[in-house]
Amino acid sequence: MTAPISENDNDDRHLALSGAYNVRDLGGYRTRSGGLTRRRRLLRADSPHRLTSGDLDLLLGTGLRTVIDLRAPHELANAPNPLGEIASLDYLHLPLFDALAPANVHEGATGPDPLPEFYARTLSTRADALRDVMQAITEAPPGAVMFHCTAGKDRTGLIAALLLGNADVRDADIVADYASTERHIAPLVAEFLDLARIKGSDTDAYGRALRSRPETMQRVLADIARDYGSVPEYLAGIGLDSAARARLAARLLAAQAPPR
């Protein structure tokens, strides 16, 4: 498998790997106060199970120190994580869901785009799991932290939005970060849909769940503002105190000692 990116792609946050499509840096975004998120602090990704030895060398060269696998146990069993076998990395399996299938995304959906309601349910019902992920990032040793799910879109996208929002990154950039997934994972989406056709699944509904449109994240951010006040207030409500939220923001913003 290769992960081709257009010659015109100017997304310099994207890490071009042979065995993954959607590995990206959360550095380089402006905050509302004019600051800039730092590179090689937090990486978001799709499943690493097909990474090559060259890919692994490239990732280790970024200063990668901690890997957080958000996938459900059955996903991990079906696609083992090679990063969990590298002694220099702290590997944490912190599943956001005990099990996840396309039908879960559409549960209770009232419109053609099921994702905003799915994300809202995730924020509401998976608060403990989200807190554990955020806490793990605050407590990670110096070096880059990579968090990932299967496509690097929904679970990973929601975590990325919370991290950027807590660091006071502008909403427009949070939306753009989410939406850029769509072009990066286009070949992966085609693979998923081909498998769904073979199984006789509803590919139209599944295809809608595989989108990452800007309007989706715009609504998610509006819902957070309406229901919780702000991203930091949401994080406070799930159990991250002010010191933990400050450490989480510092992960992206402050000077950091080199990895030990």
Side-chain angles (χ1 to χ4, degrees), residues 3-167:
I5 297 296
S6 166
E7 292 179 356
N8 296 320
D9 184 353
N10 60 1
D11 184 357
D12 63 353
R13 297 179 184 88
H14 179 259
L15 277 67
L17 303 175
S18 296
Y21 290 102
N22 195 24
V23 181
R24 290 186 281 125
D25 197 320
L26 292 187
Y29 287 121
R30 286 286 174 192
T31 68
R32 290 184 176 88
S33 61
L36 194 67
T37 59
R38 291 177 178 260
R39 303 284 182 145
R40 303 305 190 248
R41 295 296 184 75
L42 293 172
L43 304 176
R44 54 174 297 169
D46 52 331
S47 176
H49 68 284
R50 293 186 281 198
L51 293 180
T52 67
S53 59
D55 293 337
L56 296 173
D57 289 341
L58 189 152
L59 283 172
L60 293 174
T62 68
L64 184 63
R65 181 67 176 80
T66 303
V67 176
I68 299 175
D69 192 331
L70 303 171
R71 296 176 299 164
H74 73 276
E75 294 173 291
L76 176 59
N78 290 335
N81 196 329
L83 297 168
E85 305 300 319
I86 298 177
S88 63
L89 298 179
D90 288 346
Y91 171 75
L92 304 173
H93 182 215
L94 298 176
L96 217 53
F97 295 93
D98 297 328
L100 188 65
N104 303 133
V105 177
H106 288 273
E107 181 182 341
T110 58
D113 182 358
L115 292 171
E117 290 163 295
F118 172 63
Y119 295 155
R121 288 199 311 276
T122 301
L123 290 169
S124 174
T125 65
R126 305 306 299 167
D128 289 349
L130 287 164
R131 182 201 60 230
D132 290 347
V133 172
M134 295 296 171
Q135 195 67 46
I137 294 172
T138 69
E139 296 172 357
V145 177
M146 187 175 89
F147 55 98
H148 74 88
C149 54
T150 294
K153 183 178 82 71
D154 299 318
R155 290 163 286 187
T156 296
L158 193 55
I159 294 289
L162 293 174
L163 290 167
L164 292 171
N166 184 65

Side-chain angles (χ1 to χ4, degrees), residues 237-252:
I238 68 173
L240 271 74
D241 61 22
S242 58
R245 298 195 306 276
R247 290 197 302 273
L248 199 61
R251 193 92 207 180
L252 268 173

Side-chain angles (χ1 to χ4, degrees), residues 172-197:
D173 286 333
I174 298 174
V175 169
D177 182 78
Y178 172 80
S180 67
T181 284
E182 187 151 312
R183 61 193 171 92
H184 287 301
I185 67 167
L188 190 58
V189 167
E191 179 183 317
F192 290 163
L193 290 175
D194 283 344
L195 290 172
R197 288 187 192 96

